[in-house]
mmCIF file of all heavy atoms in Angstrom:
data_model
loop_
_atom_site.group_PDB
_atom_site.id
_atom_site.type_symbol
_atom_site.label_atom_id
_atom_site.label_comp_id
_atom_site.label_asym_id
_atom_site.label_seq_id
_atom_site.Cartn_x
_atom_site.Cartn_y
_atom_site.Cartn_z
ATOM 1 N N TRP G 51 162.032 217.376 56.361
ATOM 2 C CA TRP G 51 161.864 218.791 56.070
ATOM 3 C C TRP G 51 163.192 219.332 55.590
ATOM 4 O O TRP G 51 164.218 219.132 56.227
ATOM 5 C CB TRP G 51 161.419 219.539 57.316
ATOM 6 C CG TRP G 51 161.275 221.029 57.112
ATOM 7 C CD1 TRP G 51 162.262 221.972 57.251
ATOM 8 C CD2 TRP G 51 160.100 221.734 56.734
ATOM 9 N NE1 TRP G 51 161.762 223.225 56.985
ATOM 10 C CE2 TRP G 51 160.428 223.102 56.662
ATOM 11 C CE3 TRP G 51 158.789 221.343 56.446
ATOM 12 C CZ2 TRP G 51 159.501 224.081 56.315
ATOM 13 C CZ3 TRP G 51 157.862 222.314 56.105
ATOM 14 C CH2 TRP G 51 158.228 223.660 56.045
ATOM 15 N N GLU G 53 164.435 223.113 53.879
ATOM 16 C CA GLU G 53 164.121 224.427 53.343
ATOM 17 C C GLU G 53 165.168 224.857 52.323
ATOM 18 O O GLU G 53 166.349 224.947 52.646
ATOM 19 C CB GLU G 53 164.105 225.475 54.467
ATOM 20 C CG GLU G 53 162.982 225.332 55.454
ATOM 21 C CD GLU G 53 163.110 226.344 56.577
ATOM 22 O OE1 GLU G 53 163.688 227.430 56.347
ATOM 23 O OE2 GLU G 53 162.655 226.043 57.690
ATOM 24 N N LYS G 55 166.086 228.157 49.722
ATOM 25 C CA LYS G 55 165.968 229.590 49.959
ATOM 26 C C LYS G 55 164.585 230.116 49.611
ATOM 27 O O LYS G 55 164.017 230.961 50.323
ATOM 28 C CB LYS G 55 167.039 230.345 49.161
ATOM 29 C CG LYS G 55 167.083 231.836 49.475
ATOM 30 C CD LYS G 55 168.249 232.521 48.782
ATOM 31 C CE LYS G 55 168.306 233.997 49.149
ATOM 32 N NZ LYS G 55 169.455 234.682 48.501
ATOM 33 N N VAL G 58 159.813 225.602 50.187
ATOM 34 C CA VAL G 58 159.668 224.745 51.359
ATOM 35 C C VAL G 58 158.768 223.577 50.980
ATOM 36 O O VAL G 58 157.993 223.678 50.025
ATOM 37 C CB VAL G 58 159.065 225.505 52.565
ATOM 38 C CG1 VAL G 58 160.003 226.597 53.029
ATOM 39 C CG2 VAL G 58 157.694 226.063 52.232
ATOM 40 N N PRO G 59 158.849 222.445 51.681
ATOM 41 C CA PRO G 59 157.994 221.302 51.340
ATOM 42 C C PRO G 59 156.517 221.647 51.484
ATOM 43 O O PRO G 59 156.118 222.388 52.378
ATOM 44 C CB PRO G 59 158.422 220.242 52.366
ATOM 45 C CG PRO G 59 159.798 220.631 52.775
ATOM 46 C CD PRO G 59 159.810 222.135 52.755
ATOM 47 N N PHE G 62 151.366 220.283 55.710
ATOM 48 C CA PHE G 62 151.483 220.692 57.122
ATOM 49 C C PHE G 62 150.790 222.030 57.411
ATOM 50 O O PHE G 62 151.103 222.689 58.396
ATOM 51 C CB PHE G 62 152.958 220.780 57.552
ATOM 52 C CG PHE G 62 153.842 219.739 56.935
ATOM 53 C CD1 PHE G 62 154.867 220.088 56.067
ATOM 54 C CD2 PHE G 62 153.639 218.397 57.206
ATOM 55 C CE1 PHE G 62 155.679 219.127 55.487
ATOM 56 C CE2 PHE G 62 154.441 217.427 56.631
ATOM 57 C CZ PHE G 62 155.461 217.785 55.771
ATOM 58 N N THR G 63 149.852 222.430 56.564
ATOM 59 C CA THR G 63 149.256 223.757 56.725
ATOM 60 C C THR G 63 148.415 223.871 57.988
ATOM 61 O O THR G 63 148.412 224.922 58.639
ATOM 62 C CB THR G 63 148.397 224.114 55.499
ATOM 63 O OG1 THR G 63 147.434 223.068 55.265
ATOM 64 C CG2 THR G 63 149.266 224.265 54.267
ATOM 65 N N PHE G 65 148.813 222.214 60.825
ATOM 66 C CA PHE G 65 149.736 222.223 61.964
ATOM 67 C C PHE G 65 150.452 223.559 62.086
ATOM 68 O O PHE G 65 150.442 224.197 63.139
ATOM 69 C CB PHE G 65 150.725 221.080 61.790
ATOM 70 C CG PHE G 65 151.887 221.101 62.746
ATOM 71 C CD1 PHE G 65 151.687 221.136 64.113
ATOM 72 C CD2 PHE G 65 153.197 221.087 62.260
ATOM 73 C CE1 PHE G 65 152.762 221.150 64.994
ATOM 74 C CE2 PHE G 65 154.262 221.090 63.125
ATOM 75 C CZ PHE G 65 154.046 221.130 64.498
ATOM 76 N N LEU G 66 151.070 224.012 61.003
ATOM 77 C CA LEU G 66 151.824 225.256 61.064
ATOM 78 C C LEU G 66 150.905 226.450 61.325
ATOM 79 O O LEU G 66 151.259 227.369 62.073
ATOM 80 C CB LEU G 66 152.618 225.456 59.773
ATOM 81 C CG LEU G 66 153.680 224.388 59.469
ATOM 82 C CD1 LEU G 66 154.373 224.676 58.140
ATOM 83 C CD2 LEU G 66 154.709 224.291 60.589
ATOM 84 N N GLY G 67 149.714 226.428 60.730
ATOM 85 C CA GLY G 67 148.760 227.503 60.986
ATOM 86 C C GLY G 67 148.325 227.549 62.439
ATOM 87 O O GLY G 67 148.169 228.634 63.021
ATOM 88 N N LYS G 68 148.136 226.382 63.043
ATOM 89 C CA LYS G 68 147.740 226.344 64.459
ATOM 90 C C LYS G 68 148.855 226.875 65.355
ATOM 91 O O LYS G 68 148.584 227.577 66.342
ATOM 92 C CB LYS G 68 147.380 224.910 64.851
ATOM 93 C CG LYS G 68 146.882 224.748 66.281
ATOM 94 C CD LYS G 68 145.662 225.588 66.570
ATOM 95 C CE LYS G 68 144.475 225.215 65.705
ATOM 96 N NZ LYS G 68 143.262 225.997 66.067
ATOM 97 N N LEU G 69 150.111 226.573 65.007
ATOM 98 C CA LEU G 69 151.216 227.132 65.791
ATOM 99 C C LEU G 69 151.203 228.655 65.717
ATOM 100 O O LEU G 69 151.423 229.340 66.719
ATOM 101 C CB LEU G 69 152.556 226.593 65.284
ATOM 102 C CG LEU G 69 152.816 225.096 65.415
ATOM 103 C CD1 LEU G 69 154.260 224.771 65.055
ATOM 104 C CD2 LEU G 69 152.480 224.580 66.805
ATOM 105 N N GLY G 70 150.944 229.184 64.525
ATOM 106 C CA GLY G 70 150.862 230.631 64.377
ATOM 107 C C GLY G 70 149.731 231.210 65.216
ATOM 108 O O GLY G 70 149.884 232.280 65.833
ATOM 109 N N GLU G 71 148.611 230.517 65.259
ATOM 110 C CA GLU G 71 147.491 230.964 66.092
ATOM 111 C C GLU G 71 147.878 230.996 67.564
ATOM 112 O O GLU G 71 147.551 231.952 68.282
ATOM 113 C CB GLU G 71 146.292 230.037 65.884
ATOM 114 C CG GLU G 71 145.090 230.377 66.756
ATOM 115 C CD GLU G 71 144.008 229.319 66.682
ATOM 116 O OE1 GLU G 71 143.834 228.719 65.597
ATOM 117 O OE2 GLU G 71 143.342 229.087 67.700
ATOM 118 N N LEU G 72 148.566 229.958 68.016
ATOM 119 C CA LEU G 72 148.963 229.902 69.430
ATOM 120 C C LEU G 72 149.919 231.035 69.774
ATOM 121 O O LEU G 72 149.750 231.718 70.800
ATOM 122 C CB LEU G 72 149.615 228.550 69.733
ATOM 123 C CG LEU G 72 148.737 227.304 69.618
ATOM 124 C CD1 LEU G 72 149.538 226.058 69.977
ATOM 125 C CD2 LEU G 72 147.502 227.399 70.499
ATOM 126 N N THR G 73 150.928 231.236 68.947
ATOM 127 C CA THR G 73 151.902 232.292 69.264
ATOM 128 C C THR G 73 151.269 233.670 69.150
ATOM 129 O O THR G 73 151.594 234.575 69.922
ATOM 130 C CB THR G 73 153.143 232.199 68.359
ATOM 131 O OG1 THR G 73 152.763 232.326 66.984
ATOM 132 C CG2 THR G 73 153.869 230.872 68.569
ATOM 133 N N ASP G 74 150.347 233.839 68.214
ATOM 134 C CA ASP G 74 149.650 235.119 68.097
ATOM 135 C C ASP G 74 148.823 235.420 69.352
ATOM 136 O O ASP G 74 148.616 236.594 69.693
ATOM 137 C CB ASP G 74 148.725 235.129 66.879
ATOM 138 C CG ASP G 74 149.482 235.276 65.563
ATOM 139 O OD1 ASP G 74 150.699 235.558 65.605
ATOM 140 O OD2 ASP G 74 148.854 235.093 64.497
ATOM 141 N N VAL G 79 155.706 228.859 71.872
ATOM 142 C CA VAL G 79 155.918 227.560 71.236
ATOM 143 C C VAL G 79 157.410 227.392 71.002
ATOM 144 O O VAL G 79 158.052 228.255 70.380
ATOM 145 C CB VAL G 79 155.156 227.448 69.902
ATOM 146 C CG1 VAL G 79 155.509 226.136 69.201
ATOM 147 C CG2 VAL G 79 153.653 227.528 70.140
ATOM 148 N N TRP G 81 160.308 224.767 69.502
ATOM 149 C CA TRP G 81 160.477 223.620 68.593
ATOM 150 C C TRP G 81 161.953 223.229 68.602
ATOM 151 O O TRP G 81 162.816 223.997 68.200
ATOM 152 C CB TRP G 81 160.029 224.017 67.192
ATOM 153 C CG TRP G 81 160.000 222.914 66.173
ATOM 154 C CD1 TRP G 81 160.844 221.847 66.061
ATOM 155 C CD2 TRP G 81 159.080 222.797 65.077
ATOM 156 N NE1 TRP G 81 160.523 221.074 64.984
ATOM 157 C CE2 TRP G 81 159.437 221.634 64.361
ATOM 158 C CE3 TRP G 81 158.001 223.586 64.632
ATOM 159 C CZ2 TRP G 81 158.738 221.236 63.218
ATOM 160 C CZ3 TRP G 81 157.320 223.171 63.497
ATOM 161 C CH2 TRP G 81 157.673 222.015 62.808
ATOM 162 N N ILE G 90 165.583 222.552 59.423
ATOM 163 C CA ILE G 90 164.771 223.747 59.631
ATOM 164 C C ILE G 90 165.731 224.933 59.706
ATOM 165 O O ILE G 90 166.665 224.928 60.501
ATOM 166 C CB ILE G 90 163.958 223.634 60.933
ATOM 167 C CG1 ILE G 90 162.858 222.578 60.781
ATOM 168 C CG2 ILE G 90 163.359 224.980 61.328
ATOM 169 C CD1 ILE G 90 162.118 222.290 62.068
ATOM 170 N N PHE G 91 165.495 225.926 58.885
ATOM 171 C CA PHE G 91 166.360 227.102 58.895
ATOM 172 C C PHE G 91 165.591 228.308 59.441
ATOM 173 O O PHE G 91 165.429 228.422 60.643
ATOM 174 C CB PHE G 91 166.970 227.316 57.510
ATOM 175 C CG PHE G 91 167.776 226.123 57.048
ATOM 176 C CD1 PHE G 91 167.533 225.519 55.826
ATOM 177 C CD2 PHE G 91 168.771 225.580 57.853
ATOM 178 C CE1 PHE G 91 168.268 224.407 55.406
ATOM 179 C CE2 PHE G 91 169.514 224.477 57.447
ATOM 180 C CZ PHE G 91 169.255 223.887 56.222
ATOM 181 N N ASP G 92 165.039 229.178 58.616
ATOM 182 C CA ASP G 92 164.377 230.356 59.178
ATOM 183 C C ASP G 92 162.882 230.431 58.886
ATOM 184 O O ASP G 92 162.174 231.223 59.492
ATOM 185 C CB ASP G 92 165.049 231.637 58.686
ATOM 186 C CG ASP G 92 164.941 231.818 57.172
ATOM 187 O OD1 ASP G 92 164.463 230.900 56.473
ATOM 188 O OD2 ASP G 92 165.343 232.898 56.693
ATOM 189 N N TYR G 93 162.375 229.598 57.985
ATOM 190 C CA TYR G 93 160.980 229.726 57.561
ATOM 191 C C TYR G 93 159.988 229.479 58.698
ATOM 192 O O TYR G 93 159.090 230.296 58.946
ATOM 193 C CB TYR G 93 160.703 228.757 56.409
ATOM 194 C CG TYR G 93 159.249 228.692 55.988
ATOM 195 C CD1 TYR G 93 158.700 229.674 55.168
ATOM 196 C CD2 TYR G 93 158.431 227.659 56.425
ATOM 197 C CE1 TYR G 93 157.365 229.621 54.784
ATOM 198 C CE2 TYR G 93 157.101 227.593 56.043
ATOM 199 C CZ TYR G 93 156.577 228.577 55.229
ATOM 200 O OH TYR G 93 155.245 228.524 54.862
ATOM 201 N N ILE G 94 160.116 228.370 59.400
ATOM 202 C CA ILE G 94 159.130 228.006 60.416
ATOM 203 C C ILE G 94 159.104 229.014 61.551
ATOM 204 O O ILE G 94 158.033 229.415 62.032
ATOM 205 C CB ILE G 94 159.390 226.575 60.927
ATOM 206 C CG1 ILE G 94 158.956 225.569 59.852
ATOM 207 C CG2 ILE G 94 158.657 226.312 62.238
ATOM 208 C CD1 ILE G 94 159.197 224.130 60.200
ATOM 209 N N GLY G 95 160.272 229.447 61.996
ATOM 210 C CA GLY G 95 160.304 230.438 63.052
ATOM 211 C C GLY G 95 159.634 231.738 62.641
ATOM 212 O O GLY G 95 158.840 232.318 63.394
ATOM 213 N N LYS G 96 159.912 232.200 61.424
ATOM 214 C CA LYS G 96 159.331 233.457 60.949
ATOM 215 C C LYS G 96 157.837 233.339 60.722
ATOM 216 O O LYS G 96 157.059 234.239 61.044
ATOM 217 C CB LYS G 96 160.017 233.899 59.657
ATOM 218 C CG LYS G 96 161.433 234.421 59.850
ATOM 219 C CD LYS G 96 162.049 234.842 58.525
ATOM 220 C CE LYS G 96 163.442 235.411 58.720
ATOM 221 N NZ LYS G 96 164.061 235.795 57.412
ATOM 222 N N GLU G 97 157.394 232.236 60.147
ATOM 223 C CA GLU G 97 155.989 232.096 59.783
ATOM 224 C C GLU G 97 155.091 231.773 60.966
ATOM 225 O O GLU G 97 153.950 232.218 61.019
ATOM 226 C CB GLU G 97 155.831 231.007 58.704
ATOM 227 C CG GLU G 97 156.369 231.398 57.352
ATOM 228 C CD GLU G 97 155.609 232.558 56.736
ATOM 229 O OE1 GLU G 97 154.360 232.540 56.765
ATOM 230 O OE2 GLU G 97 156.265 233.498 56.249
ATOM 231 N N THR G 98 155.575 230.981 61.901
ATOM 232 C CA THR G 98 154.714 230.530 63.002
ATOM 233 C C THR G 98 154.986 231.249 64.315
ATOM 234 O O THR G 98 154.157 231.181 65.227
ATOM 235 C CB THR G 98 154.881 229.019 63.248
ATOM 236 O OG1 THR G 98 156.183 228.762 63.820
ATOM 237 C CG2 THR G 98 154.735 228.231 61.952
ATOM 238 N N GLY G 99 156.140 231.889 64.442
ATOM 239 C CA GLY G 99 156.504 232.505 65.712
ATOM 240 C C GLY G 99 157.120 231.544 66.697
ATOM 241 O O GLY G 99 157.417 231.920 67.840
ATOM 242 N N ALA G 100 157.322 230.291 66.277
ATOM 243 C CA ALA G 100 157.944 229.309 67.176
ATOM 244 C C ALA G 100 159.415 229.653 67.394
ATOM 245 O O ALA G 100 160.097 230.133 66.489
ATOM 246 C CB ALA G 100 157.819 227.901 66.589
ATOM 247 N N ILE G 101 159.894 229.381 68.590
ATOM 248 C CA ILE G 101 161.304 229.546 68.931
ATOM 249 C C ILE G 101 162.010 228.234 68.594
ATOM 250 O O ILE G 101 161.654 227.176 69.129
ATOM 251 C CB ILE G 101 161.472 229.893 70.417
ATOM 252 C CG1 ILE G 101 160.732 231.194 70.736
ATOM 253 C CG2 ILE G 101 162.955 230.001 70.784
ATOM 254 C CD1 ILE G 101 160.563 231.449 72.223
ATOM 255 N N ILE G 102 162.981 228.284 67.697
ATOM 256 C CA ILE G 102 163.658 227.075 67.237
ATOM 257 C C ILE G 102 164.900 226.829 68.089
ATOM 258 O O ILE G 102 165.732 227.723 68.270
ATOM 259 C CB ILE G 102 164.052 227.200 65.752
ATOM 260 C CG1 ILE G 102 162.827 227.567 64.899
ATOM 261 C CG2 ILE G 102 164.694 225.906 65.262
ATOM 262 C CD1 ILE G 102 161.694 226.573 64.964
#
Side-chain angles (χ1 to χ4, degrees):
W51 178 272
E53 292 176 28
K55 186 174 182 179
V58 295
F62 324 115
T63 54
F65 170 55
L66 298 178
K68 183 58 62 176
L69 296 188
E71 177 189 326
L72 295 181
T73 59
D74 285 350
V79 174
W81 186 325
I90 290 173
F91 301 127
D92 63 353
Y93 174 80
I94 286 178
K96 287 180 178 179
E97 289 295 314
T98 70
I101 300 166
I102 306 301

